[in-house]
């Protein structure tokens, strides 16, 4: 039989000068565990395990306390009958280090992961040697997981009907089973070296499944081995008392989960227990890698159940006084029983919801005292410490938090103007109501509040401003505003799962009145988050929405929003582009896009001018077809990107925005798939030098890959995500990233996959290039190789889209400024790089351009020049001559097209140094 821990601690506080609480400023704390053995009559033994917390200041006091434990005698008036202390152990000692309580184990004892002391307030450092336990020093009176000896666990099944009394430690049947089991197991294990104690820890449904725990001073392997050797003796002893099921007796050296309340268990085990005394309902926990995790809980205080029954009794003929009395009683019950369970939360929300509905239907008024009771109740259930219980509740009742907010609003508007002004400022909610007067015509309305997040002294402010121009018509009776930080943590995210409420939730109510403009100012809880969205809570769809709300201004610490309706507002922020560099990135983007578009148009003009000359051979023909399609797709994609950036996302209907998103998505995908085609053809020419493929087949593959695949991906993306309004972002015309479907992945995944494939192709090219060209001297190998590799990288990087690989950095480390700047700089200007390195480094195109531009300079030549002088190079062509000379120098990458078909070198690579050409 186990005595209540709080009683035992109280007893020893009296006998030990009242020092029994962990967490003194400088003292060193220790935990004493006493096992008291009382003999009532032969064969019947009751043991009490007493847990004592005492303090000492130095090693001498510590030794004195240990000696004192050895000399302790049981009090003569405590229990009737003879009694003796059979064992006293000092197991755990703690010290205050910089405001953190660090606890370690005495020699011979150890922690049993995953938790130590109080699982909610302490953290076990398993990697350290010896393992230590760090705790918040406040309120550790519920500590249960102290350092202990080696533990081994066992289970067996009894073929008898399970009864819920086995979950009640004070019941006779519980005492019968635990006493019998412990006596028989102790008799079997007492001969084991190092054995100290055995204790029944749990009974589970399924006939009767009993679990017990053995503690010893030897190693776990030795204790487990010794217990296995006497397993037969233990089973024989148990069969004397109970019908044991065959092959059900098992012993374990390790368990994944272990706690006093749920006992021990293994991965994914689920265990349901009745709630503690004074509560109705059950609590279900699941064994997770980090310990028992509560997944369902319906523990409701008995007094709350009584209030719910009372409401149903007088609901038919309720009065205002009865409603006020019910709310007052509810406030008293909560104040007297401060513990908050998920079941209690559900009951409170249900009772308040019933009060609200009945009061609205009956046109009851709410007095100032009743409103104060409601706010006190709300402050209690909105305590930041209850967020975990809200999480458990919302798994079963998804609308509970929305119902609470709606209930508070409905009750608030029932306060008559004669009861106002009222202002209730609590720790977790602020409420203010004013009667509207003629001053609103001149001053408008201004509401301001400050709330403090947990464990911080920096306030989070919220402000509501309604201009005087909004009150030029007939005035409303009242204006009610309230704010809470906890509501932002418990109102669910059904659409924008990656967003966070980064400020207070503010609700402003003006009954039977509409406004055209309201400004809200929020200070940020986390200033590192960016991309704010001004949103309101939509009770109809039970989600955050931004319709009618727009961002006005943002600073590092504050966000201003403008909305055109009244409801509950907040701001959502996502970890994307840091706001400090947004102007820089935008400037780089649009300058780069302008340069890129101009360069691509020039590329297309050059291709059109010399198309007949460049398509004479199959390889040159396929290369330039790919170049034309890459330039065409990129210029169209860039144009639509600019259009999308200048379309207001909030314009209704949003057809232009959706069209811009779709076309931008499609043409950027086409760009990537044509770059993939370039990579495939390049790899094909390197690997299969003498193999020929019909140009018609090449082009069929190219156009299917370049336009067919992007079309399929784009159509599927919009078809799947647009019906749920998840296709585009709310604040801009671009693919959404915040919704559950994440349509932006339909661009990111294909793009990064293609970049990876093309990177492999580039590595293949560089491997081929890493050899000297034919005819080069050995002394020039290094220099020639560096030139070949450098030129190839300059040409292939923009053509194969390798710079888009920096997009991984912007997604993984979104707060790093460098990733965003590099990504914008390289990819916005991709068209310019294609012109410079993809076309102007082509010796054939340079020669054609030189020949085309030569006649333009003929006006400088005199009319008397003879025919031999006409072949001289004019000064205006020096730039192209230089490029031409560089193009024909050592290590250049030249394609040789033999004019005689069928020869060995027809449409093939001339040397390894030209491996980038195909």
């Amino acid at each position: 039989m186990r005595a209540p821990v709080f009683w035992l601690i109280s007893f020893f506080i009296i006998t030990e000068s009242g020092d029994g609480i962990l967490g003194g400023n400088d003292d060193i704390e220790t935990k004493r565990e006493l096992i008291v053995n009382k003999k009532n009559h032969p064969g019947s033994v009751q043991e009490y395990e007493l847990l004592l917390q005492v303090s000492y200041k130095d090693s001498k006091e510590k030794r004195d306390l240990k000696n004192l434990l050895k000399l302790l005698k049981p009090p003569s008036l405590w229990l009737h009958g003879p009694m003796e202390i059979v064992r006293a152990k000092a197991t755990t000692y703690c010290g205050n280090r910089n405001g953190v309580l660090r606890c370690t184990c005495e020699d011979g004892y150890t922690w049993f992961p995953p938790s130590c002391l109080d699982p909610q307030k302490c953290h076990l450092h398993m990697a350290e040697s010896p393992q230590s336990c760090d705790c918040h020093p406040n309120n550790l009176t519920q500590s249960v997981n102290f350092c202990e000896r080696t533990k081994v666990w066992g289970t067996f099944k009894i073929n008898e009907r399970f009864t819920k009394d086995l979950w009640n430690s004070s019941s006779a049947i519980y005492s019968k089973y635990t006493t019998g089991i412990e006596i028989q197991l102790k008799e079997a294990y007492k001969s084991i070296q190092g054995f100290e104690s055995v204790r029944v820890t749990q009974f589970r449904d399924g006939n009767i499944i009993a679990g017990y725990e053995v503690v010893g001073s030897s190693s776990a392997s030795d204790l487990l081995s010794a217990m296995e050797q006497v397993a037969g003796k233990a089973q024989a002893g148990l069969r004397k008392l109970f019908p044991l099921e065959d092959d059900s007796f098992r012993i374990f050296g390790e368990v994944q989960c272990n706690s006093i309340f749920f006992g021990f268990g293994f991965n994914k085990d689920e265990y349901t227990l009745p709630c503690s005394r004074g509560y109705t309902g059950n609590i279900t926990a699941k064994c997770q890698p980090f310990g028992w995790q509560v997944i369902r809980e319906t523990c409701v205080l008995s007094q709350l159940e009584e209030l719910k029954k009372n409401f149903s009794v007088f609901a038919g003929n309720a009065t205002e006084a009865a409603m006020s009395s019910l709310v007052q009683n509810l406030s008293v019950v909560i104040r007297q029983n401060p513990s908050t369970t998920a079941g209690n939360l559900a009951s409170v929300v249900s009772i308040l919801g019933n009060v609200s509905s009945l009061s609205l239907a009956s046109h009851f008024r709410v007095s100032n005292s009743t409103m104060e009771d409601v706010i006190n109740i709300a402050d209690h259930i909105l305590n930041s410490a209850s967020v975990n219980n809200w999480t458990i509740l919302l798994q079963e009742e998804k609308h509970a938090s929305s119902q609470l907010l709606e209930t508070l609003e409905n009750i608030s508007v029932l306060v008559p103007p004669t009861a106002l002004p009222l202002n209730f400022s609590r720790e977790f909610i602020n409420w203010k109501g004013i009667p509207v007067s003629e001053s609103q015509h001149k001053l408008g309305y201004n509401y301001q509040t400050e709330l403090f997040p947990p464990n911080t002294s920096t306030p989070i402010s919220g402000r509501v401003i309604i201009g005087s121009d909004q009150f030029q018509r007939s005035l409303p009776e009242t204006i009610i505003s309230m704010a809470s930080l906890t509501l932002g943590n418990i109102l669910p995210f059904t659409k924008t799962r990656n967003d966070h409420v980064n400020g207070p939730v503010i609700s402003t109510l003006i009954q039977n009145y509409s406004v055209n403009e309201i400004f809200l100012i929020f200070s940020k809880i986390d200033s590192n988050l960016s991309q704010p969205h001004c949103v309101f809570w939509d009770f109809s769809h039970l989600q955050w929405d931004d319709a009618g709300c727009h961002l006005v201004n943002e600073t590092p610490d504050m966000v201003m929003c403008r909305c055109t309706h009244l409801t509950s507002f907040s701001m959502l922020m996502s970890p994307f582009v840091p706001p400090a560099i947004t102007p820089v990135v935008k400037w780089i983007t649009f300058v780069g896009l302008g340069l890129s578009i101009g360069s691509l148009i020039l590329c297309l003009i050059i291709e059109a001018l010399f198309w007949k000359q460049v398509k004479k051979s199959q390889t040159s023909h396929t290369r330039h077809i790919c170049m034309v399609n890459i330039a065409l797709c990129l210029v169209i994609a860039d144009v639509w990107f600019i259009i999308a950036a200048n379309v207001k996302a909030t314009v209704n209907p949003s057809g232009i925005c959706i069209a811009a998103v779709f076309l931008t998505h499609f043409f950027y995908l086409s760009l990537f798939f044509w770059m993939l085609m370039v990579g495939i053809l390049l790899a094909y020419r390197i690997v299969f030098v003498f193999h020929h493929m019909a140009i018609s087949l090449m082009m069929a593959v190219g156009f299917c890959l370049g336009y067919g695949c992007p079309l399929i991906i784009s159509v599927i993306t919009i078809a799947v995500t647009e019906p749920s309004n998840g296709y585009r972002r709310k604040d801009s015309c671009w693919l959404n990233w915040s919704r559950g479907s994440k349509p932006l992945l339909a661009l990111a995944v294909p793009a990064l996959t293609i970049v990876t494939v093309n990177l492999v192709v580039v590595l293949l090219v560089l491997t081929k290039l890493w050899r000297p060209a034919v005819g080069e001297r050995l002394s020039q190998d290094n220099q020639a190789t560096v030139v070949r590799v450098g030129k190839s990288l300059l040409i292939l990087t923009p053509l194969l889209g390798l710079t888009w690989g920096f997009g991984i950095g912007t997604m993984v480390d979104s707060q790093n400024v460098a990733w965003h700047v590099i990504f914008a700089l390289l990819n916005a200007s991709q068209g310019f790089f294609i012109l410079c390195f993809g076309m102007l480094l082509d010796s054939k195109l340079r020669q054609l351009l030189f020949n085309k531009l030569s006649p333009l300079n003929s006006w400088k030549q005199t009319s008397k020049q003879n025919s031999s002088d006409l072949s001289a190079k004019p000064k205006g062509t020096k730039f192209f001559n230089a490029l031409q000379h560089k193009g024909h120098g050592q290590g250049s990458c030249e394609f040789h097209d033999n004019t005689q078909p069928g020869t060995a070198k027809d449409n093939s690579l001339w040397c390894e140094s030209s491996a980038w050409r195909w």
Side-chain angles (χ1 to χ4, degrees), residues 253-269:
E254 292 182 0
V255 293
Q256 185 158 344
C257 300
N258 188 29
S259 74
I260 288 180
F261 188 74
F262 291 107
F264 61 87
F266 300 92
N267 190 33
K268 297 184 179 179
D269 282 355

Side-chain angles (χ1 to χ4, degrees), residues 129-163:
S129 182
Q131 294 177 350
S132 63
C133 179
D134 284 356
C135 306
H136 295 293
N138 296 325
N139 193 21
L140 285 175
T141 57
Q142 302 301 317
S143 300
V144 290
N145 299 321
F146 293 90
C147 299
E148 299 186 54
R149 296 289 197 187
T150 300
K151 285 185 180 179
V152 175
W153 296 266
T155 62
F156 56 88
K157 184 179 290 188
I158 300 173
N159 286 323
E160 291 181 354
R161 186 176 180 181
F162 181 85
T163 173

